[in-house]
Amino acid sequence: METSPEPHRPDPAGGCPHADNARLLARGAVTPVVLPGGVEGMAVLGHDALREFLQHPEVAKDARHFTELREGRIPAGWPLLTFATVRGMTTADGEDHRRLRGLVSRAFTPRRVEELRPRVEELTATLLDGLERAAVDGVADLRRHFALPLPMGVISELLGVDEEFQLRLHQLTSQVVATGIEPAQAVAANRELVAVLAAVAASRAERPGDDLTSALIAARDEEGDRLGQEELIGTLVLMIVAGHETTLNLITNAVRALCGHRDQLDLVRGSAVSWADVVEETLRWDAPVSYFPFRYPVRDLDLGGTVIPAGTPVLAGYSAAGRDPAAHGPDADRFDVTRPARPDAVRSLSLGHGAHYCLGAPLARLEATVALERLFDRFPDLDLAVPEEDLAREASFVGNSVHTLPVRLGTSLSA
């Protein structure tokens, strides 16, 4: 008689996900999980199953479909609560989702993003100067001095977030996505995040500018049925978190990958492949998000031979799907920037799929491509200052990266 597999317990303290992913994929594309606090859920790990799940018409994002939450069995300090309850496009379905997405989508079209290229290049050059100044005996934390302030600076300019708020917003959003945080700390971080973003909104209401927050406030004030105050703050939460955390991890993971695979770095620096190829392979091989919460089947759903009960909170296993041998071949674990372009059916899902595909994907790709090319042009000998296995991981099973990235800069080819 067959027994059900033991539920996987994602480590709230984070850690490298790939060994667990390989073990779980070997037994199936969908697996039961136990989330912090003993909350039962599921994770979709296989590429094909995840692609189907992300666009399934009977899978919802609205937390009213989350059975345990609806029945009052999820405590206020649950570390994943914000992912379920924040009011915005990531927790909206149907017409509500289209309305909220429509309010911000024009800021992230490929054309509008390409218009940001000169500013991204300018900020990148400034940060590379700062990275060199920050080095002690030739070593600097690339994550702190480069990979973080680039996307944070760009999204803050788009939103009209004054510099005085930026560092605190990163600190708070890091706590919001942390999965091992204590309940009281989680509640406090969420409250302060809402308060800081309310202050940002108040500042823009008093001094409107040519920024997305001012445009959202105008939509709220002039057409109140299009955007409520809670949705305004929720949209800002989403924009800040997704607008910098994902790209921060993407740049960090790409640098780690290239430093650990010097032959691949030689290929791109020799123009055998492009920096865009490096970004795409990093998205697949070491996705910036490991498990993203949540989606909920609105009825019992058979996915790849596994039934996911209605109302179950489901994690999207992006890092696992990226290395699924069934989709990416027997060498899926190998970092290879020369991989041929993949057809849509097996393209990386790391930035989502379907109606909730990441709005900021073009911006993330632009920032990462510019950052990597300029970084290795400036510091061609750049390498990790400590072994990969000694790098401390982020304290979350949502984000997938390291907490710091000390690098030895080597020779600087200053402009």
Side-chain angles (χ1 to χ4, degrees):
M1 181 176 178
E2 291 188 8
T3 59
S4 298
E6 182 71 19
H8 176 56
R9 295 178 179 268
D11 186 352
C16 182
H18 298 301
D20 279 342
N21 288 344
R23 175 177 58 83
L24 295 169
L25 277 169
R27 72 186 194 191
V30 181
T31 193
V33 295
V34 177
L35 302 170
V39 176
E40 294 183 357
M42 301 286 279
V44 182
L45 309 169
H47 175 97
D48 291 348
L50 183 57
R51 191 172 190 271
E52 178 183 350
F53 183 73
L54 294 176
Q55 63 184 354
H56 201 288
E58 293 184 291
V59 171
K61 293 281 279 179
D62 192 321
R64 66 189 175 88
H65 298 286
F66 183 175
T67 301
E68 286 198 56
L69 181 63
R70 187 178 65 245
E71 294 177 352
R73 292 186 279 143
I74 301 295
W78 193 50
L80 296 171
L81 190 60
T82 297
F83 290 100
T85 59
V86 64
R87 291 289 300 277
M89 70 186 77
T90 59
T91 54
D93 297 309
E95 185 54 42
D96 272 347
H97 174 249
R98 287 187 289 273
R99 169 177 58 86
L100 293 167
R101 193 175 177 99
L103 287 168
V104 299
S105 60
R106 282 176 291 183
F108 296 98
T109 64
R111 179 179 176 180
R112 291 292 295 273
V113 167
E114 189 57 34
E115 291 172 354
L116 292 171
R117 180 180 291 274
R119 179 57 184 137
V120 172
E121 292 176 341
E122 178 186 17
L123 182 54
T124 297
T126 299
L127 292 172
L128 288 173
D129 290 341
L131 179 66
E132 188 166 13
R133 288 193 301 270
V136 176
D137 295 330
V139 175
D141 181 357
L142 186 138
R143 187 172 172 90
R144 174 185 175 187
H145 295 290
F146 183 67
L148 165 61
L150 176 59
M152 190 60 165
V154 173
I155 195 63
S156 293
E157 288 186 19
L158 279 175
L159 291 175
V161 175
D162 295 332
E163 188 173 351
E164 63 184 285
F165 296 115
Q166 293 179 22
L167 178 58
R168 188 57 182 154
L169 282 173
H170 169 66
Q171 293 168 341
L172 290 169
T173 56
S174 294
Q175 292 179 58
V176 166
V177 301
T179 47
I181 192 170
E182 292 297 321
Q185 189 181 4
V187 170
N190 276 278
R191 284 177 178 166
E192 187 180 351
L193 178 60
V194 169
V196 172
L197 289 174
V200 169
S203 174
R204 294 278 64 82
E206 184 177 325
R207 295 179 286 108
D210 183 19
D211 57 76
L212 187 53
T213 302
S214 296
L216 291 171
I217 290 169
R220 179 199 65 184
D221 294 344
E222 296 168 14
E223 305 173 68
D225 60 332
R226 292 191 67 203
L227 186 73
Q229 174 66 13
E230 193 177 355
E231 289 177 328
L232 168 65
I233 299 301
T235 298
L236 294 180
V237 170
L238 166 65
M239 293 289 105
I240 287 290
V241 175
H244 88 280
E245 290 280 355
T246 300
T247 310
L248 162 60
N249 288 351
L250 172 57
I251 294 171
T252 302
N253 292 356
V255 171
R256 291 168 48 229
L258 290 168
C259 288
H261 301 80
R262 307 301 293 195
D263 59 325
Q264 302 295 295
L265 178 58
D266 289 343
L267 287 172
V268 68
R269 297 200 66 224
S271 301
V273 294
S274 70
W275 288 102
D277 293 324
V278 173
V279 170
E280 294 309 309
E281 179 65 350
T282 303
L283 285 168
R284 181 201 71 81
W285 186 75
D286 206 11
V289 173
S290 192
Y291 291 109
F292 192 79
F294 288 115
R295 284 173 167 81
Y296 321 94
V298 300
R299 62 167 178 81
D300 290 357
L301 182 66
D302 188 330
L303 191 68
T306 298
V307 175
I308 306 176
T312 300
V314 181
L315 302 173
Y318 293 123
S319 63
R323 295 197 186 188
D324 182 1
H328 301 290
D331 67 343
D333 279 340
R334 184 164 61 91
F335 181 73
D336 179 5
V337 297
T338 68
R339 282 180 192 275
R342 310 291 281 170
D344 285 346
V346 287
R347 191 166 293 166
S348 170
L349 299 171
S350 294
L351 295 174
H353 182 67
H356 287 271
Y357 180 74
C358 177
L359 263 178
L363 180 57
R365 286 185 164 100
L366 170 66
E367 291 171 343
T369 302
V370 170
L372 293 169
E373 181 174 11
R374 299 298 190 273
L375 174 68
F376 284 100
D377 280 350
R378 176 75 170 265
F379 304 108
D381 301 320
L382 182 143
D383 206 351
L384 300 185
V386 299
E388 167 73 27
E389 57 269 22
D390 291 344
L391 294 172
R393 304 287 303 195
E394 281 284 277
S396 174
F397 60 70
V398 176
N400 174 39
S401 195
V402 295
H403 183 63
T404 61
L405 188 63
V407 296
R408 191 169 302 280
L409 298 179
T411 304
S412 171
L413 302 182
S414 302

